[in-house]
């Protein structure tokens, strides 16, 4: 069956806890091939990581090209005995479909596929431009053998995405309340302060890094990084731990360290942000304190899809089905949209996120039906 509920159920029945595929991509491959898509299954790996299955499927060879992106991997079920209905049963009870991945995000993928199949059936099996699916099995864990590599693979084939809809559970309370159009970037680091080890009774022969790291923490925390931007709240630097590791009470330690994370908006990128914080640190250290920041590598840059024709057509499709005008939000954690945004404008719109990653993850069947109608509305407007 090609409806969203059946496809969601078939996907949920594959226990595809990262990095396992457990047949999930095969469910999509069969439906896509039957509808005339050219389907590629691509496996990526690198030393020290598990090989991951991914899927790219396209129909049509002209522009405009809209892509539906998503992930079929899920987080573990947790205590399976605590579930009201089997964690991988896909059972429908009292109007809800239960199972790990129902909202995050097998349900979202199923709705987009059901909408595309309907659209093709109503248009002689061909879109006016191109439609593709960009589906990974590596989102919930380290996200290195998934979307980031699949996008490179697609680009190397000379294919260009014009717009992308990522079906992550973007809504907060009810279907239609929120489209995610961007995310803050993330950058972690460790502040390292060097002193000179010595006996507490002879402090003049030592240099204590503990008071110094305290001063630097205060200095770096207190000065705002910015005051927000048109679409984002202010960036924030947050210290998360202070570590001296000293077990003796009569020894001045040689070094103190403090970890922090910065969530930053579109006033910065990784390079300018690091330079700004390094400069503030140098100022706070003066000529006396010896300190540095060890910056961690990060692939989580800030991105935003500006309001325009693409967001407008999504808003209009959502309003038509739900009667709600969604907020264009940049809040929340990271997703694969951060990778897609380097290739084309991307919006995230899917189911309601309330039960994701919980026991009894579930979605109202009526939301699956409405989300399918919304995606269909997006396609109708996109190719109008
Ligand atoms: Zn997800």
């Amino acid at each position: 069956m090609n409806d969203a509920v059946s496809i969601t159920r078939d996907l949920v029945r594959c226990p595809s806890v990262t990095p396992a595929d457990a047949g999930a991509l095969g469910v999509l491959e069969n439906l896509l091939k039957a509808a005339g898509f050219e389907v590629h299954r691509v496996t990526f790996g690198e030393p020290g990581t598990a090989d991951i299955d991914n899927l790219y499927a396209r129909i049509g060879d002209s522009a405009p090209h809209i892509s539906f992106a998503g992930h079929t991997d899920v987080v573990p079920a947790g205590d399976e005995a605590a579930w009201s209905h089997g964690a991988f049963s896909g059972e429908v009870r009292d109007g809800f479909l239960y199972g790990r991945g129902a909202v995050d995000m097998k349900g979202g993928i199923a709705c987009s596929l059901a909408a595309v199949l309907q659209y093709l059936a109503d248009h002689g099996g061909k879109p006016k431009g191109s439609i593709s699916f960009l589906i990974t099995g590596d989102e919930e864990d380290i996200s290195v053998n998934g979307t980031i590599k699949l996008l490179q693979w697609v680009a190397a084939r000379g294919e260009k995405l014009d717009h992308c809809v990522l079906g992550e559970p973007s809504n907060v309370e009810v279907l239609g309340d929120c489209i995610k159009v961007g995310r803050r970037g993330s950058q972690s680091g460790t502040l390292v302060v060097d002193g000179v080890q010595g006996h507490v009774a002879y402090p003049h022969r030592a240099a204590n890094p503990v008071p110094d790291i305290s001063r630097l923490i205060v200095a770096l925390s207190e000065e705002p990084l910015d005051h927000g931007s048109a679409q984002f709240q202010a960036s924030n630097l947050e210290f998360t731990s202070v570590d001296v590791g000293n077990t003796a009470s009569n020894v001045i330690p040689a070094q103190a360290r403090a970890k922090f994370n910065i969530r930053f908006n579109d006033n910065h990128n990784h390079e300018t942000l690091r330079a700004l914080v390094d400069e503030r640190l140098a100022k706070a250290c003066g000529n006396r304190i010896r300190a540095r920041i060890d910056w961690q590598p990060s692939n989580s840059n800030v991105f935003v899809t500006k309001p325009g024709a693409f967001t407008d057509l999504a808003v209009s499709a959502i309003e038509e089905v739900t009667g709600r005008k969604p907020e264009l939000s940049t809040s929340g954690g990271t997703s694969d949209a951060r990778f897609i945004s380097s290739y084309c404008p991307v919006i995230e719109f899917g189911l309601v996120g309330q039960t994701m990653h919980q026991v009894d993850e579930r979605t109202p069947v009526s939301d699956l039906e409405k989300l399918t109608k919304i995606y269909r509305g997006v396609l109708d407007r996109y190719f109008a």
Side-chain angles (χ1 to χ4, degrees):
M1 293 280 287
N2 293 351
D3 64 282
V5 177
S6 309
I7 302 171
T8 306
R9 187 199 56 211
D10 291 349
L11 288 173
V12 168
R13 286 181 178 171
C14 305
S16 50
V17 177
T18 332
D21 171 63
L25 291 177
V27 170
L28 302 178
E29 181 176 7
N30 290 338
L31 290 166
L32 288 163
K33 275 191 172 153
F37 277 78
E38 188 183 324
V39 182
H40 304 268
R41 295 282 295 269
V42 205
T43 304
F44 296 118
E46 54 182 74
T49 66
D51 283 357
I52 300 281
D53 279 347
N54 299 274
L55 179 150
Y56 175 70
R58 174 172 176 166
I59 191 165
D61 45 25
S62 58
H65 176 184
I66 186 169
S67 190
F68 289 91
H71 63 87
T72 46
D73 62 321
V74 295
V75 296
D79 179 6
E80 290 201 41
W83 286 68
S84 309
H85 309 284
F88 298 102
S89 67
E91 210 171 310
V92 175
R93 281 289 170 88
D94 304 322
F96 287 86
L97 189 152
Y98 284 78
R100 177 59 79 230
V103 294
D104 185 13
M105 57 163 283
K106 290 173 168 176
I109 292 174
C111 292
S112 59
L113 180 49
V116 167
L117 296 178
Q118 267 178 22
Y119 175 88
L120 292 174
D122 292 347
H123 291 82
K126 286 270 176 212
K128 274 194 188 169
S130 302
I131 302 173
S132 67
F133 285 86
L134 191 87
I135 309 291
T136 182
D138 189 22
E139 198 276 338
E140 295 289 5
D141 195 10
I142 50 175
S143 307
V144 295
N145 293 319
T147 300
I148 191 166
K149 289 196 171 87
L150 194 55
L151 286 162
Q152 288 163 358
W153 183 89
V154 170
R157 288 169 53 84
E159 297 191 36
K160 184 181 172 299
L161 312 181
D162 293 314
H163 296 91
C164 183
V165 178
L166 176 59
E168 289 279 9
S170 60
N171 298 283
V172 183
E173 301 283 344
V174 289
L175 194 71
D177 67 15
C178 190
I179 302 179
K180 291 269 198 296
V181 294
R183 303 278 177 135
R184 290 182 294 173
S186 174
Q187 172 68 64
S188 295
T190 304
L191 170 63
V192 182
V193 181
D194 288 313
V196 177
Q197 190 175 329
H199 196 298
V200 292
Y202 305 93
H204 54 286
R205 289 191 201 144
N208 191 346
V210 176
D212 287 340
I213 201 166
S214 313
R215 287 183 191 101
L216 298 178
I217 288 171
V218 171
L220 293 177
S221 300
E222 276 185 344
E223 192 174 355
L225 291 164
D226 54 64
H227 299 283
S229 69
Q231 286 172 282
F232 286 91
Q233 62 195 102
S235 304
N236 180 52
L237 185 157
E238 202 66 37
F239 277 92
T240 53
S241 87
V242 183
D243 308 283
V244 181
N246 186 8
T247 52
S249 56
N250 60 351
V251 176
I252 292 171
Q255 194 180 72
R257 305 163 72 86
K259 287 185 191 152
F260 63 89
N261 176 267
I262 303 173
R263 292 297 156 107
F264 62 93
N265 62 32
D266 54 350
N267 286 310
H268 313 271
N269 60 42
H270 285 109
E271 289 69 37
T272 61
L273 181 73
R274 291 176 189 194
L276 174 67
V277 177
D278 281 335
E279 183 192 312
R280 287 185 179 182
L281 176 68
K283 203 174 114 204
C285 284
N287 292 325
R288 190 180 60 80
I289 306 176
R290 289 182 299 142
R292 66 177 188 279
I293 292 169
D294 288 344
W295 294 104
Q296 261 177 34
S298 168
N299 58 10
S300 186
N301 213 341
V302 57
F303 77 91
V304 65
T305 296
K306 305 265 187 232
F310 186 51
T311 55
D312 286 351
L313 72 83
V315 168
S316 141
I318 292 162
E319 255 189 307
E320 183 180 73
V321 175
T322 67
R324 292 185 189 90
K325 195 177 167 71
E327 180 198 350
L328 300 183
S329 161
T330 56
S331 69
T334 63
S335 74
D336 278 354
R338 69 190 191 272
F339 305 131
I340 300 166
S341 63
S342 307
Y343 293 83
C344 70
V346 54
I347 58 171
E348 289 176 68
F349 187 77
L351 291 164
V352 179
Q354 269 164 350
T355 61
M356 61 180 172
H357 296 207
Q358 295 181 1
V359 162
D360 278 349
E361 179 174 345
R362 63 193 178 280
T363 178
V365 167
S366 59
D367 277 6
L368 292 171
E369 288 158 356
K370 282 183 206 155
L371 182 58
T372 305
K373 283 194 187 130
I374 291 168
Y375 288 146
R376 174 63 198 268
V378 167
L379 289 165
D380 289 340
R381 287 163 174 81
Y382 191 76
F383 291 119

